[in-house]
Amino acid sequence: MFVAIFIDYARIAAFKVQTERMTHAAMRSVMSAYDTSLREYGLFGYGDSSGDTVMAKVLNDSVKPSSVKDGFPILDIQWDTTSLSMERELGRYDIFNRQIQEDMKYRAPVDFTLEVINRFKPMSDEMKEAAHTVDLLKKLQKLYDKREELLDEAIVNQTESAEKLKNLPKLIMDPPSQPIYEEMLEETPETAAEAAARYADYLNKQRADEGLPFREQQYILELARYRTGVSNVVTGISMIIQPALQAHQTKLEEAQSKIEEARKINEEMKRVIAEGENRSQNASYDNVGNSNLPGASPASTGSGSEAKSTRSLASELVRADSLFDQLKARVVSQNSDFGNVRRDNMELNNQLRSVTGMSGVPIKPAVRQASQITERYMDNYVRSGPANLIQQSEQQLESGRGSDAQRKANDKESKGKLKEVKRILSQIQNGSSGSMDAFKQLEEYYNTNIAFNEASREDAKKAEIANDPYDSGSEAMKGMDSLFGGMSGLLDSLGDELFQNEYALAYFNSMDFGQLFTWTEGGDAGDVFKLENQELEYIVYGFHNSSGNIAAAYAEIFGMRLAIRTAEGLIEHSKLGNPLLVLSAAILYGITNAIADMVKLAKEGSVELSKYIKVKLTYRDHLRLFLLMHSNNERKMSRMLALIRLNTGVNPDEKQTYASGNMRSSIKLWFLPGVVRSIGAVMGSADQVEGGRFFIERKADYSY
């Protein structure tokens, strides 16, 4: 009896082992029915077979009687119940990401990515200083131009106010500063001085005619001419003084306001310079530059010292506080001097109005006083000469703009070159409407996967190149900030993003950049706008049309080349001195050479990283970098899954990658079932023995 018990015990142990093996074998058989079309993308998802059927067949085949004659079945295993559940769809981000990691962790392109970072490592300091300098000087350039524009407008306000009085001296005394001699009433007086010179003769002739009958009056016409002339002079002075008063009240007040606004901008420039040395993006450049990666980095003959030196001159763009005080004082002085001119000329007009109605009017002193004060105003604010206060202000302003003319010439040339780049970009954006059905279907799949993962959708932004060279240069440098930020993040954690980017490069197509360039010059576009030839661009940018992704890639390559070439330009033109002139020359250099790089990349298939680093980058190398710059992993995964669904006809959202199976089986006990049941009760598993059979349950899980 003792031996019989242990025979059954040994059979139970063997039964458990065998059942465990058969359960796992069944699950492996079930999961071997994967979808072969997904395998083309290195992915596994369960196919269309019935998992329950596969599992049942494997389990039943495993317990068929032995074909050996006279065989003795030690284990008569029977399957009682089985169940199978499938879950964890491939379309879910965590599952898809894990399969990407499994597929890519041993692939060579990972090393190539590190090699690409090694290429940029020597230029990290140069690009850091260039981006920092462009960022600071671009802010200062906007503030500088606004400040100078306000100061110029203040000068214009002063000039326009002064110009209102330019004809006043001719009505008072022409030419000025001459003695006023007595004259006869022979002609109509045209100035106040002539009216004063003929005043005595007017009084004499008025007395001679006074009291005589109308027909006997001898000087009636001469007296009338005199009164008409005086009236015209009075009217003329009033018609000049009144508009001049309005102009001085409004325009000079505006001038003072603009000078104060310019002063505030000047203070803002000081603040920008003070805060400019602390730039958070610089840490990414330092991280890349100080990294220790496998492989050798190419040597660089450039440095960031020139750009840093140019940035150190930024304080020269700030105006002295005393300048604003002087400019404002001259405006106040002009207003005050005009007040004197107005007062004396109004007094002169009062005297002129009195000459025809009363005798003994002191008109000559009034003319001299009005002429003197008006001439002083004309010398100080209207006539060219060393005494002109407005011209003094202009000269002070111009003394701080020694290179503005050359800078504006550079800017004009840069804008002209940018127009050509924008023309090509616009041509690409409007170039083709092919594959619209495919893109529409792709967008539907993309939206479905976004909703499936409960992620947020973000619409792609249309590719643009700024009209302003400084904005264009600044945007290009921001792109380099993003690139080095992506590289830095990659160095900190060689994880999901690296594998996803390399997966995209390994399995998806990109366009022929040379063919695109040929098309922009009037050639045949070929298949460049078809979806199957711009899959990688779609993953990077996410436009659901035939031209958006290609245009975005074109614009971003130009931006990257512009940033690198502008950094070179800061080195090449650092000796120009004025920081804004250096910046404008560097941007012109950058735009010119970036355009040449685009042509070279199209015609030769590659372009040197920079003038100082002689390594080549292909079009796909640029896309590899742009994947780092656009670090939106969830949307990138949804785009890849949408492309896979479109290309294979298989919906990853419906393809499970995990199976869980439960099996219950039994064997017949040979000896003493009651004793075994007793043992089972002691072991806490009394329900394992039923009707002389021993039952166990096994669970197996399997994941791709």
Side-chain angles (χ1 to χ4, degrees):
M1 182 181 291
F2 181 81
V3 172
I5 291 173
F6 278 94
I7 289 174
D8 270 351
Y9 186 81
R11 290 178 65 241
I12 289 172
F15 168 51
K16 290 180 178 180
V17 171
Q18 186 69 3
T19 302
E20 187 80 25
R21 289 174 179 173
M22 287 189 292
T23 300
H24 283 283
M27 293 305 300
R28 287 195 299 272
S29 297
V30 169
M31 298 302 278
S32 66
Y34 55 79
D35 193 299
T36 55
S37 57
L38 290 175
R39 192 68 190 94
E40 295 176 9
Y41 287 92
L43 305 174
F44 288 92
Y46 191 71
D48 297 326
S49 303
S50 170
D52 293 294
T53 301
V54 173
M55 184 174 68
K57 184 177 186 308
V58 172
L59 292 176
N60 289 332
D61 289 346
S62 67
V63 296
K64 284 183 178 180
S66 174
S67 59
V68 178
K69 188 177 180 181
D70 299 328
F72 181 70
I74 299 297
L75 300 175
D76 58 336
I77 299 175
Q78 293 181 7
W79 298 103
D80 184 46
T81 59
T82 61
S83 65
L84 177 68
S85 63
M86 307 288 290
E87 53 190 55
R88 302 183 189 179
E89 294 83 358
L90 178 60
R92 296 197 176 280
Y93 291 148
D94 56 337
I95 305 301
F96 183 49
N97 183 59
R98 184 173 60 80
Q99 291 210 15
I100 287 176
Q101 289 181 336
E102 288 297 318
D103 186 60
M104 298 305 298
K105 63 184 178 182
Y106 300 119
R107 295 175 69 95
V110 173
D111 294 332
F112 187 63
T113 295
L114 301 181
E115 181 183 338
V116 169
I117 296 178
N118 263 333
R119 294 178 184 182
F120 278 83
K121 180 179 175 180
M123 70 184 309
S124 59
D125 185 62
E126 175 189 339
M127 288 308 307
K128 176 185 75 172
E129 296 299 339
H132 193 166
T133 300
V134 170
D135 184 29
L136 175 64
L137 293 185
K138 189 250 182 178
K139 293 176 183 175
L140 291 177
Q141 179 263 331
K142 297 292 186 187
L143 293 170
Y144 174 93
D145 283 347
K146 182 61 178 174
R147 182 193 68 192
E148 298 304 300
E149 180 184 355
L150 286 168
L151 294 177
D152 283 341
E153 289 175 356
I155 296 293
V156 169
N157 284 350
Q158 284 186 270
T159 303
E160 289 178 349
S161 299
E163 286 293 315
K164 297 290 185 182
L165 296 176
K166 66 180 180 179
N167 294 323
L168 183 60
K170 294 180 180 179
L171 289 173
I172 302 172
M173 183 181 291
D174 189 23
S177 304
Q178 62 179 348
I180 303 176
Y181 299 111
E182 298 295 335
E183 297 179 3
M184 303 297 290
L185 286 179
E186 295 177 352
E187 297 178 356
T188 303
E190 295 180 354
T191 66
E194 291 177 355
R198 299 166 191 172
Y199 179 51
D201 189 42
Y202 167 80
L203 290 177
N204 291 333
K205 290 178 178 178
Q206 186 184 40
R207 291 191 191 101
D209 280 356
E210 192 173 6
L212 295 176
F214 180 75
R215 294 186 179 183
E216 295 180 11
Q217 294 178 6
Q218 302 178 41
Y219 306 109
I220 188 170
L221 293 178
E222 293 177 66
L223 295 174
R225 276 200 305 269
Y226 180 82
R227 286 192 290 269
T228 299
V230 170
S231 178
N232 289 340
V233 171
V234 170
T235 302
I237 291 175
S238 296
M239 290 181 67
I240 290 175
I241 292 296
Q242 191 58 38
L245 173 62
Q246 185 176 0
H248 281 72
Q249 287 177 337
T250 58
K251 291 187 177 296
L252 292 189
E253 184 178 345
E254 287 178 11
Q256 291 190 61
S257 176
K258 288 173 180 176
I259 291 171
E260 285 304 313
E261 188 177 350
R263 190 199 297 269
K264 291 179 182 178
I265 292 176
N266 199 61
E267 293 300 315
E268 174 70 6
M269 291 175 71
K270 293 179 184 178
R271 187 191 64 78
V272 168
I273 292 172
E275 296 177 356
E277 287 306 309
N278 301 317
R279 190 170 186 266
S280 60
Q281 295 89 336
N282 288 356
S284 297
Y285 293 91
D286 292 335
N287 197 16
V288 173
N290 297 329
S291 62
N292 293 314
L293 293 174
S297 296
S300 172
T301 58
S303 72
S305 59
E306 291 86 352
K308 189 173 184 179
S309 175
T310 298
R311 192 169 69 250
S312 69
L313 300 176
S315 58
E316 296 181 3
L317 301 173
V318 178
R319 294 279 195 180
D321 293 336
S322 59
L323 171 69
F324 301 96
D325 294 333
Q326 291 172 347
L327 295 176
K328 190 172 182 180
R330 288 172 186 145
V331 175
V332 173
S333 175
Q334 183 180 358
N335 212 7
S336 175
D337 289 350
F338 170 74
N340 295 333
V341 170
R342 177 173 176 267
R343 180 197 65 212
D344 291 343
N345 277 275
M346 289 297 98
E347 178 61 26
L348 174 60
N349 263 5
N350 290 335
Q351 301 294 352
L352 288 172
R353 291 190 186 97
S354 301
V355 296
T356 60
M358 56 188 296
S359 60
V361 177
I363 187 171
K364 287 184 180 181
V367 171
R368 292 191 187 97
Q369 177 63 23
S371 179
Q372 288 174 3
I373 201 70
T374 301
E375 288 301 315
R376 187 182 306 126
Y377 183 94
M378 300 302 288
D379 289 337
N380 288 344
Y381 306 105
V382 180
R383 298 189 185 107
S384 296
N388 190 308
L389 298 180
I390 297 177
Q391 289 184 349
Q392 290 177 21
S393 295
E394 288 178 329
Q395 289 167 2
Q396 276 186 288
L397 294 180
E398 288 301 322
S399 66
R401 302 173 180 172
S403 58
D404 279 13
Q406 181 59 48
R407 178 168 68 91
K408 290 177 180 177
N410 289 344
D411 295 347
K412 183 177 180 181
E413 187 174 353
S414 294
K415 287 179 181 178
K417 292 180 181 294
L418 278 177
K419 281 184 179 179
E420 178 60 21
V421 179
K422 288 174 66 65
R423 184 194 65 78
I424 295 175
L425 181 63
S426 178
Q427 181 183 355
I428 295 171
Q429 288 171 331
N430 301 318
S432 175
S433 59
S435 302
M436 289 308 297
D437 290 341
F439 276 105
K440 186 176 180 180
Q441 185 68 69
L442 182 65
E443 183 175 17
E444 181 183 330
Y445 292 162
Y446 170 76
N447 290 334
T448 299
N449 186 259
I450 285 285
F452 181 70
N453 284 282
E454 298 179 352
S456 61
R457 170 175 175 150
E458 182 178 292
D459 292 332
K461 296 180 180 178
K462 185 179 180 181
E464 293 182 352
I465 295 175
N467 293 317
D468 183 87
Y470 297 98
D471 290 340
S472 185
S474 178
E475 288 300 317
M477 288 301 175
K478 287 180 182 178
M480 296 306 288
D481 289 343
S482 298
L483 174 59
F484 276 85
M487 290 181 181
S488 177
L490 198 63
L491 292 170
D492 292 337
S493 177
L494 295 176
D496 295 350
E497 182 146 14
L498 171 64
F499 292 117
Q500 289 172 18
N501 293 351
E502 293 303 322
Y503 179 82
L505 284 155
Y507 286 104
F508 296 96
N509 300 324
S510 61
M511 72 168 172
D512 183 339
F513 192 73
Q515 189 177 21
L516 174 69
F517 187 80
T518 300
W519 175 76
T520 62
E521 293 187 325
D524 182 14
D527 296 333
V528 72
F529 286 100
K530 287 188 175 180
L531 174 57
E532 58 264 32
N533 293 321
Q534 54 168 294
E535 294 174 337
L536 192 53
E537 289 84 352
Y538 167 72
I539 292 169
V540 177
Y541 302 108
F543 286 94
H544 293 99
N545 59 67
S546 59
S547 58
N549 301 300
I550 294 177
Y554 182 92
E556 199 150 42
I557 291 175
F558 175 78
M560 180 176 171
R561 301 312 308 168
L562 174 58
I564 293 172
R565 293 300 197 175
T566 299
E568 294 174 11
L570 290 171
I571 297 173
E572 295 291 321
H573 298 286
S574 60
K575 293 182 173 57
L576 291 177
N578 184 288
L580 293 186
L581 179 58
V582 173
L583 177 62
S584 71
I587 289 177
L588 176 57
Y589 175 96
I591 293 172
T592 303
N593 286 279
I595 292 172
D597 287 345
M598 300 294 280
V599 176
K600 186 175 182 180
L601 180 62
K603 292 187 175 180
E604 299 181 15
S606 64
V607 64
E608 288 181 344
L609 179 57
S610 82
K611 179 179 180 179
Y612 307 111
I613 302 178
K614 304 295 184 180
V615 297
K616 295 187 180 297
L617 290 179
T618 65
Y619 173 70
R620 280 182 73 87
D621 288 340
H622 284 86
L623 292 182
R624 173 181 266 110
L625 297 169
F626 298 155
L627 282 165
L628 281 176
M629 292 168 63
H630 298 273
S631 183
N632 49 359
N633 293 354
E634 289 188 349
R635 288 182 287 278
K636 273 196 285 193
M637 285 192 286
S638 284
R639 290 168 194 159
M640 286 191 279
L641 288 165
L643 282 169
I644 291 170
R645 181 176 178 182
L646 184 70
N647 294 339
T648 63
V650 176
N651 185 1
D653 300 350
E654 299 174 352
K655 292 298 179 181
Q656 292 89 0
T657 63
Y658 184 92
S660 179
N662 285 286
M663 297 84 171
R664 188 168 187 263
S665 58
S666 66
I667 59 171
K668 182 176 178 61
L669 294 176
W670 288 351
F671 306 103
L672 303 174
V675 176
V676 174
R677 184 180 298 109
S678 299
I679 296 173
V682 173
M683 297 173 63
S685 55
D687 58 342
Q688 289 181 328
V689 178
E690 296 177 9
R693 298 191 66 84
F694 184 85
F695 289 86
I696 61 171
E697 291 186 11
R698 285 293 179 264
K699 180 179 180 181
D701 299 277
Y702 194 96
S703 176
Y704 289 129

